[in-house]
Amino acid sequence: MTVPNTVKVAIVGCGNISRRHAEAYANTGRTSLVGVADIVEAKAQTLAGKYGATPYASVTELLAAEDPDLVSVTTPPGSHAEIAIEILAAGKSVLLEKPPVLSLAEMDAVAEAEQASAGSVWVIFQHRHGSGALRAADLLGRGALGRPLVAVCETLWFRPLSYFDPDWRGTWVGEGGGPTLGHGIHQIDLLLHLLGPWRTINATAVRLDRPVEFEDVSMASVVFESDAVGTVINSLLSPRELSRIRIDTAGGTLEVDHVYGYSDQDWTFHPAPDAAKAATLGIDPGVRKADAVETGVGENPWTASAGDDVPSNHDAQISRLIDDLLAGRTHDTTLASTRATMEFVTALYASAITGQPVRRSDLTLDHPFYRALHGNTPKTELSESFRP
């Protein structure tokens, strides 16, 4: 990065999620939004007007006129790979909104373009960056909570029929997949960030109520390389929305319960009712969390101070990214670091559509689902595979 105190940024795609990027950049106080682009002129003008940027009709026009250090791609997912490759060819860095791409083949194409570019690619998975997840990853990583044994990962959200009004929603070409790819991927990524590599997935995906080409509910059983086991469920049909990860370890239960973003207060740790194990974790198993916080007695590894409470939103990740760029550090949510998440999503679809378990090691370049999450399955057969 050649700019010592300010990062010049741009945004391609001026729909709803672009506002999160624009606000997060502005909140850092260390960026300059030099341009925005959208094929819908009014959207580009609105976003540009709010932040004092110049509107453009395409990424090509923007790159020809401006010299950004970093470009956020917040277009519909089906266009992410093509736009990222064009930005990289111009020698600029890219921040991809989730899901980063629609297939492992697209991910590898972007990675190849990154290798040939002076720019780098990062991905928005903001739940890795809240202070709660940073603390959880540290405690689990150094074994402070005991060996992970059982996990539950739930994304139970609700999207009304009107959500699918835009032409690109609900289609393989535009959206790329259902709640597994577009919604549950947040919690899936955090689960893998906390528990590490997975080994095998056995999944079911069904279309129960929404006008989509793929699933509106999916569920999977997972075996991790650590031999821990877990379940993952993703839904767009759940009126009382919930995002939850629960990890039962040899030392207790770690849980985060939220909807679209957590704070430290959304995390809890309940020690195992075993005095010997609790003693190794520095906890009094007879003291409830609330009492421990209020009295300071029996402080457990979770309620111990973790510093400032940083919620898991776009601000958290984008602020950290800008800090990293200005300090010359590598931001850790790289494109490469998110491949395991895309492999998980790919395997879930492959297992659900074929009715067979899928190992991570199966996902080679010649795997039927490498180039598309539907595996280029014939349309009639594909439709049948999502019947309950």
Side-chain angles (χ1 to χ4, degrees):
M1 189 64 58
T2 58
V3 184
N5 299 310
T6 303
V7 178
K8 293 185 292 182
V9 299
I11 298 173
V12 178
C14 299
N16 289 335
I17 201 65
S18 68
R19 298 167 200 160
R20 302 275 185 90
H21 286 245
E23 290 169 4
Y25 284 133
N27 289 342
T28 69
R30 301 182 302 281
T31 65
S32 172
L33 184 61
V34 298
V36 302
D38 198 289
I39 58 175
V40 178
E41 182 180 0
K43 289 185 177 181
Q45 289 179 341
T46 298
L47 189 65
K50 184 173 181 179
Y51 292 95
T54 303
Y56 296 95
S58 69
V59 63
T60 303
E61 289 186 13
L62 188 155
L63 292 172
E66 305 289 351
D67 185 31
D69 302 302
L70 174 67
V71 182
S72 278
V73 177
T74 59
T75 56
S79 61
H80 282 189
E82 180 181 359
I83 292 172
I85 290 170
E86 181 174 354
I87 295 167
L88 290 166
K92 310 302 181 183
S93 291
V94 180
L95 178 60
L96 286 172
E97 184 53 58
K98 67 79 195 168
V101 291
L102 298 191
S103 69
L104 293 176
E106 285 191 353
M107 177 163 271
D108 288 347
V110 174
E112 184 178 351
E114 182 183 26
Q115 286 293 316
S117 174
S120 299
V121 184
W122 299 284
V123 179
I124 286 287
F125 277 124
Q126 70 269 28
H127 291 316
R128 296 188 189 186
H129 294 273
S131 53
L134 295 176
R135 183 155 181 75
D138 172 65
L139 290 168
L140 287 166
R142 56 188 172 86
L145 304 184
R147 182 168 66 92
L149 301 171
V150 180
V152 177
C153 177
E154 298 171 323
T155 301
L156 303 174
W157 290 2
F158 184 82
R159 292 295 181 269
L161 291 175
S162 60
Y163 176 78
F164 300 97
D165 286 347
D167 291 343
W168 61 273
R169 288 205 187 277
T171 69
W172 288 107
V173 171
E175 203 168 6
T180 307
L181 176 71
H183 304 83
I185 195 170
H186 278 302
Q187 296 298 107
I188 291 169
D189 181 76
L190 179 55
L191 180 71
L192 298 180
H193 186 60
L194 296 176
L195 288 188
W198 60 275
R199 184 190 305 152
T200 307
I201 291 176
N202 203 330
T204 298
V206 293
R207 179 174 55 247
L208 296 176
D209 193 69
R210 295 298 185 261
V212 295
E213 295 179 351
F214 28 68
E215 88 287 6
D216 50 23
V217 177
S218 69
M219 52 190 63
S221 60
V222 188
V223 180
F224 292 87
E225 288 292 354
S226 66
D227 293 332
V229 297
T231 61
V232 175
I233 181 168
N234 307 290
S235 167
L236 293 184
L237 308 179
S238 305
R240 189 179 75 80
E241 295 185 310
L242 172 70
S243 302
R244 182 172 76 115
I245 290 178
R246 169 177 170 147
I247 300 173
D248 296 324
T249 73
T253 296
L254 175 67
E255 187 169 5
V256 58
D257 187 333
H258 64 108
V259 180
Y260 298 130
Y262 60 76
S263 296
D264 281 354
Q265 66 182 4
D266 298 314
W267 291 80
T268 59
F269 181 78
H270 298 272
D274 182 318
K277 286 180 180 176
T280 66
L281 301 173
I283 330 168
D284 178 352
V287 178
R288 296 183 305 112
K289 178 187 174 184
D291 295 335
V293 172
E294 183 175 344
T295 66
V297 176
E299 184 178 61
N300 72 38
W302 187 253
T303 59
S305 174
D308 293 338
D309 183 355
V310 178
S312 63
N313 52 29
H314 280 70
D315 277 27
Q317 182 171 355
I318 286 177
S319 177
R320 190 174 177 192
L321 171 59
I322 297 303
D323 283 346
D324 289 340
L325 291 177
L326 291 174
R329 296 188 298 261
T330 299
H331 184 68
D332 56 10
T333 309
T334 61
L335 181 72
S337 79
T338 66
R339 199 177 199 281
T341 302
M342 279 302 298
E343 288 174 338
F344 187 104
V345 169
T346 301
L348 195 155
Y349 279 106
S351 177
I353 292 170
T354 65
Q356 300 296 321
V358 175
R359 299 184 301 270
R360 186 179 179 190
S361 59
D362 292 337
L363 299 175
T364 56
L365 301 185
D366 58 354
H367 190 277
F369 286 76
Y370 171 77
R371 299 195 174 280
L373 291 179
H374 50 58
N376 292 312
T377 307
K379 189 172 182 179
T380 54
E381 183 180 336
L382 189 60
S383 181
E384 284 296 312
S385 71
F386 291 114
R387 291 174 61 87

